[in-house]
């Protein structure tokens, strides 16, 4: 196998990798193809072997493959991952959103639709009558969360399975947004910073 | 004539001119809240402080008169420092509820703060809470005393312009607030103007409240159609976010300054007349009450008009633009050899500020272009032996259908005229076309396209052009300004005028060219 070892690539100033020219054996192709089949076969039998051992209760400490067994198993998502939105409630259960339309304005995908109305309490004054987010168009940039002056919209539900059977089904309404829950106890940015950076 | 220097530039002004006005002549903007050119000088906000060399204290530019040899600085470090301090002071008790405030985006407090403000407030005390938060003080007006900066513009407006004195300032110092006079209700005909005048979000318009954000709006110059005054306005259109206000395209009218017509004001009847633009429009052509394509309706109308030969007439409502009136005249009185006249405009209330009894925007235009006023359409049709009539606009045509063989109506709204029509064509309103109106004083003023014709409708002038083509008299007009050019070349009072040279202030009939516009 010595003859097919590739020359290492060189890193370009822009950070890309520039490959060296193909060797004779690489250009012959058949040898490289056979090597690929060999590698795949080795992985296959290794993983199958471990899966079999797991079935009979052995070698639990060794992982069989990098594949995550979704949906039974879920990958760890960092707490600040941007996931499905939710609207935060006040203590009395009403939406904290005041319909200021900052999120709607900033949204680069133009996928937030707000209609505001008068709140009966003059000290709150304004509230959303309709608040839809079209997840079919959302690019999960998180600008809406950044823009909100009331901390009323968050993307901390850790929900990433957002499939629907129709385009319309991708539109979240105010009720659905209010039903969202944070994945874990809500951590303040400062506490998070302390935990991560010590 | 005093000659003074402002920011290193010399300017000569009439005696008695204030510094803020002298600076305006040089296009130098001095920040201000309480000063308004349409109102008396109050000098209470102190935002306009400028430095005058040789005077130890800062002077308010809105009330200091220009004197010969004065050297004024409006933008040096000292001015900026004072402005920042004044803003900090004004903001001491301000609630900063911009997220729920309708003024955000067109707020002088926000704008000046971004331009001149300091970073944070140094006041640790609790803010003084005023009594009124979101309180209704008139049929269309909400007051939020906490946002009020007590500039007194609204009070001066009700004292000096409408003379209705509904508003006053009560209490002392930081408890001062705008209050309704005992038993009063802010319901005068021009009450909406206080919302325009209020530099902050203390006075908001109940009709506009929360419908939209002002930065979503596009402003287009136009003319109010409420009466023959022809107040200059801007139409504020929501073009990109149709989920607002149930898909309504036009969100509001705002008055636009024109010293020769409406100064800075407009009446509430006109202000809220924007609603008819999107409300219950005729959105389909019809023949004998059956909806058909516009082309078919035009064919049917043209066939009937052909049968009547020269026994045809057009009757235009005085809501039609000069261009539409001219086309109607050129086709019916000119090419077809029939008759063209206008319908007597409806009359309403009148007052001594702006509102005129004649409720049409273009009666004067119709007088100039069509000449004949018709009060009794049935009698007029009989007298002229007319067999087929085209009516442009709304009118009471009771009995007309029985008198003629054919009646085509170009209508914008279902009404008395549309109900009578053999052939109904869906036309355009003023916000949907380029064109001109001539106001009661003979001032020709431009309309700009704010929105395209509502779904299903066609520009009225296009319908007339199509009709002309089908009747074998095609006109060579591509756009509205071509029609106006023909109008100006054929009718002496309009001579010399064109869409381009009317400008933003319009021009008087017979003036040949527009008056030079004032610097704003
Ligand atoms: S995450 Fe970005 S794209 Fe999605 S709704 Fe928020 S602002 Fe819009
Ligand atoms: S920015 Fe926040 S408060 Fe404003 S409309 Fe969006 S969610 Fe509501
Ligand atoms: S008045 Fe101006 S500064 Fe005050 S809350 Fe309204 S927008 Fe903000
Ligand atoms: S309500 Fe508005 S216009 Fe009236 S005094 Fe207060 S800030 Fe000025
Ligand atoms: S503008 Fe001069 S004091 Fe208010």
């Amino acid at each position: 196998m010595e003859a097919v070892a590739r020359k290492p690539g060189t890193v370009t100033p822009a950070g890309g990798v520039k490959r060296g020219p193909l060797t004779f054996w690489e250009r012959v192709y058949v040898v490289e193809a056979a090597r690929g089949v060999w590698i795949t076969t080795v992985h296959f039998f290794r993983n199958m072997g471990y899966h079999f051992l797991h079935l009979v209760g052995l070698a639990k400490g060794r992982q069989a493959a990098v594949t995550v067994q979704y949906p039974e198993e879920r990958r760890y998502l960092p707490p600040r991952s941007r996931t499905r939105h939710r609207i935060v409630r006040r203590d009395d259960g009403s939406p904290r959103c005041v319909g200021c339309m900052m999120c709607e304005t900033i949204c680069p995908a133009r996928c937030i639709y707000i209609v505001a109305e008068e709140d009966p309490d003059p000290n709150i004054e304004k509230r959303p009558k309709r608040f839809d987010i079209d997840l079919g168009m959302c690019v999960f940039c998180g600008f809406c969360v950044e823009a909100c002056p009331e901390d009323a919209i968050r993307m901390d539900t850790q929900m990433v399975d957002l499939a629907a059977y129709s385009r319309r089904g991708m539109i979240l309404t105010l009720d659905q947004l209010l039903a969202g829950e944070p994945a874990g106890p809500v951590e303040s940015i400062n506490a998070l910073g302390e935990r991560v950076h010590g | 004539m005093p000659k003074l220097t402002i920011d290193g530039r010399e300017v000569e002004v009439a005696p008695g001119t204030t510094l803020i006005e002298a600076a305006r002549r040089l296009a130098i903007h001095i920040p201000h809240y309480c000063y308004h050119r349409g109102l008396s000088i109050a000098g209470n906000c102190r935002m306009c402080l400028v430095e005058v060399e040789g005077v130890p204290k800062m002077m308010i530019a809105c009330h200091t008169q220009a004197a010969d040899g004065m050297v004024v600085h409006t933008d040096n470090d000292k001015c900026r420092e004072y402005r920042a301090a004044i803003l900090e002071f004004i903001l001491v008790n301000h609630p900063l509820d911009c997220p729920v405030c309708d003024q955000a985006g067109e707020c002088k407090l926000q704008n000046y703060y971004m331009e001149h403000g300091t970073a944070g407030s140094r006041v640790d005390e609790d803010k003084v809470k005023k009594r009124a938060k979101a309180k209704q003080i008139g049929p269309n007006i909400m007051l939020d005393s906490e946002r009020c900066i007590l500039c007194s513009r609204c009070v001066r407006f009700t004292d000096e312009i409408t003379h209705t004195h509904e508003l006053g300032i009560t209490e002392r110092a930081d408890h001062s607030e705008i209050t309704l006079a005992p038993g009063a209700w802010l319901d005068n005909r021009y009450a909406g103007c206080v919302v325009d005048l209020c530099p902050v979000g203390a006075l908001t318009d109940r009709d506009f409240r929360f419908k939209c954000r002002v930065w979503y709006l596009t402003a287009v110059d136009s003319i109010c159609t409420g009466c023959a005054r022809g107040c200059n306005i801007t139409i504020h259109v929501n073009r990109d976010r149709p989920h607002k206000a149930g898909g309504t395209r036009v969100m509001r009218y705002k008055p636009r300054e024109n010293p020769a017509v409406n100064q800075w004001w407009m009446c509430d009847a006109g202000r809220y007349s924007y609603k008819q633009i999107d409300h219950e429009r005729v959105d389909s052509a019809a023949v004998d009450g059956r909806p058909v394509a516009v082309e078919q309706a035009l064919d049917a109308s043209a066939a009937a008009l052909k049968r009547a030969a020269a026994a045809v007439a057009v009757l235009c409502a005085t809501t039609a633009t000069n261009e539409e009136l001219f086309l109607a005249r050129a086709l019916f009185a000119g090419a077809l050899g029939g008759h063209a006249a206008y319908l007597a405009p409806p009359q309403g209330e009148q007052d001594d500020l702006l509102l005129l009894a004649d409720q049409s925007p273009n009666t004067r235009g119709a007088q100039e272009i069509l000449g004949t006023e018709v009060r009794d359409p049935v009698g007029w049709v009989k007298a002229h032996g007319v067999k087929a009539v085209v009516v442009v606009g709304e009118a009471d045509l009771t009995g007309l259908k029985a008198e003629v063989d054919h009646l085509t109506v170009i209508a914008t709204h279902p009404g008395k005229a549309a109900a009578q029509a053999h052939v109904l064509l869906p036309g355009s309103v003023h916000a949907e076309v380029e064109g001109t109106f001539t106001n009661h004083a003979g001032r020709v003023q431009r309309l700009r396209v704010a929105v395209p014709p509502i779904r299903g409708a066609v520009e009225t002038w296009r319908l007339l052009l199509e009709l002309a083509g089908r009747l074998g008299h095609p006109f060579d007009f591509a756009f509205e300004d071509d029609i106006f050019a023909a109008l100006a070349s054929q009718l002496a009072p309009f001579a010399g005028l064109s869409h381009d040279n009317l400008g933003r202030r319009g021009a008087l009939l017979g003036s040949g060219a527009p008056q030079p516009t004032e610097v704003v």
Side-chain angles (χ1 to χ4, degrees), chain B residues 110-244:
Chain B
Q110 281 186 331
N111 293 351
Y112 287 153
Y113 183 82
M114 295 310 286
E115 226 175 305
H116 311 282
T118 46
S121 169
R122 288 170 293 174
V123 183
D124 285 340
E125 310 297 318
D126 287 342
K127 298 202 174 211
V128 173
K129 290 253 186 291
K130 303 282 175 72
R131 273 176 302 189
K133 182 89 187 155
K135 182 177 164 214
Q136 189 178 350
I137 57 167
N140 302 310
I141 314 289
M142 291 292 260
L143 166 69
D144 186 325
S145 279
E146 291 190 352
R147 294 183 195 144
C148 171
I149 61 164
L150 295 162
C151 70
S152 81
R153 276 182 173 192
C154 55
V155 179
R156 280 175 283 150
F157 179 79
T158 56
D159 284 348
E160 297 160 12
I161 308 296
T162 60
H163 306 290
T164 44
H165 314 284
E166 292 100 342
L167 298 176
I169 297 177
T170 53
E171 305 292 335
R172 279 192 308 165
D174 55 6
H175 285 80
S176 306
E177 63 180 311
I178 294 292
T179 316
L180 279 173
W185 191 233
L186 191 56
D187 57 357
N188 70 63
R189 276 207 187 109
Y190 297 85
C193 292
V194 298
V195 177
D196 309 333
L197 282 170
C198 184
V200 296
L203 295 168
T204 47
D205 189 333
R206 291 187 69 223
D207 178 66
F208 183 70
R209 256 166 89 87
F210 308 157
K211 277 206 302 203
C212 193
R213 278 310 211 169
V214 297
W215 53 84
Y216 294 161
L217 300 174
T218 310
V220 182
D221 287 1
S222 193
I223 302 297
C224 174
T225 53
C227 80
R229 176 79 58 186
C231 288
N232 290 207
I233 57 167
T234 47
I235 301 183
H236 289 215
V237 190
N238 168 25
R239 291 205 172 132
D240 300 333
R241 307 203 184 235
H243 58 284
K244 304 282 180 204

Side-chain angles (χ1 to χ4, degrees), chain B residues 141-376:
Chain B
I141 314 289
M142 291 292 260
L143 166 69
D144 186 325
S145 279
E146 291 190 352
R147 294 183 195 144
C148 171
I149 61 164
L150 295 162
C151 70
S152 81
R153 276 182 173 192
C154 55
V155 179
R156 280 175 283 150
F157 179 79
T158 56
D159 284 348
E160 297 160 12
I161 308 296
T162 60
H163 306 290
T164 44
H165 314 284
E166 292 100 342
L167 298 176
I169 297 177
T170 53
E171 305 292 335
R172 279 192 308 165
D174 55 6
H175 285 80
S176 306
E177 63 180 311
I178 294 292
T179 316
L180 279 173
W185 191 233
L186 191 56
D187 57 357
N188 70 63
R189 276 207 187 109
Y190 297 85
C193 292
V194 298
V195 177
D196 309 333
L197 282 170
C198 184
V200 296
L203 295 168
T204 47
D205 189 333
R206 291 187 69 223
D207 178 66
F208 183 70
R209 256 166 89 87
F210 308 157
K211 277 206 302 203
C212 193
R213 278 310 211 169
V214 297
W215 53 84
Y216 294 161
L217 300 174
T218 310
V220 182
D221 287 1
S222 193
I223 302 297
C224 174
T225 53
C227 80
R229 176 79 58 186
C231 288
N232 290 207
I233 57 167
T234 47
I235 301 183
H236 289 215
V237 190
N238 168 25
R239 291 205 172 132
D240 300 333
R241 307 203 184 235
H243 58 284
K244 304 282 180 204
T248 314
R249 302 172 299 167
V250 175
M251 290 286 171
R252 61 179 181 183
Y253 283 172
K254 281 278 186 189
R256 175 164 57 90
E257 181 194 345
N258 189 338
V261 181
N262 54 316
Q263 291 87 40
W264 297 267
W265 328 121
M266 73 185 297
C267 75
D268 283 4
R271 186 181 295 270
Y272 300 116
S273 68
Y274 79 87
K275 291 181 186 169
Q276 43 100 10
I277 296 175
D278 289 313
H279 185 66
E280 282 191 3
R281 290 282 301 276
V282 173
D283 56 2
S284 158
V287 173
D288 294 322
R290 264 180 310 107
V292 295
V294 172
E295 288 73 18
Q296 273 174 282
L298 282 165
D299 290 341
S301 176
L305 290 170
K306 267 189 188 153
R307 277 196 296 276
V312 293
V314 66
L315 279 170
C316 297
T318 41
T319 47
T321 63
N322 289 327
E323 289 72 5
E324 289 156 3
L325 296 173
F326 178 74
L327 263 186
R329 168 188 147 133
L331 176 60
F332 286 86
L336 298 176
H339 308 274
Y342 67 94
L343 293 150
Q347 303 291 310
E349 279 180 284
Q350 170 156 2
D351 65 26
D352 51 9
L353 189 50
L354 295 175
L355 193 64
L356 295 173
D358 175 358
Q359 291 178 317
S360 295
N362 201 26
T363 307
R364 182 67 189 273
Q367 283 165 358
E368 299 291 339
I369 296 164
L370 298 176
T372 319
E373 178 173 301
V374 174
R375 283 173 190 282
D376 165 24

Side-chain angles (χ1 to χ4, degrees), chain A residues 98-102 104-105 110 112-119 122-127 130 149-150, chain B residues 97-102 104 133-134 142 144 146-147 209-213 215-216 240-241 243-245:
Chain A
V98 296
C100 71
M101 305 177 196
M102 293 295 146
E104 187 187 59
T105 302
R110 290 259 186 116
I112 304 183
Y113 307 91
I114 301 172
V115 176
E117 65 179 357
E118 201 93 30
D119 193 289
N123 285 311
I124 294 175
E125 227 180 318
K126 193 178 178 186
R127 69 178 180 194
R130 172 182 159 198
E150 306 291 328
Chain B
D97 50 359
C98 310
V100 292
C101 181
D102 249 10
K133 182 89 187 155
M142 291 292 260
D144 186 325
E146 291 190 352
R147 294 183 195 144
R209 256 166 89 87
F210 308 157
K211 277 206 302 203
C212 193
R213 278 310 211 169
W215 53 84
Y216 294 161
D240 300 333
R241 307 203 184 235
H243 58 284
K244 304 282 180 204

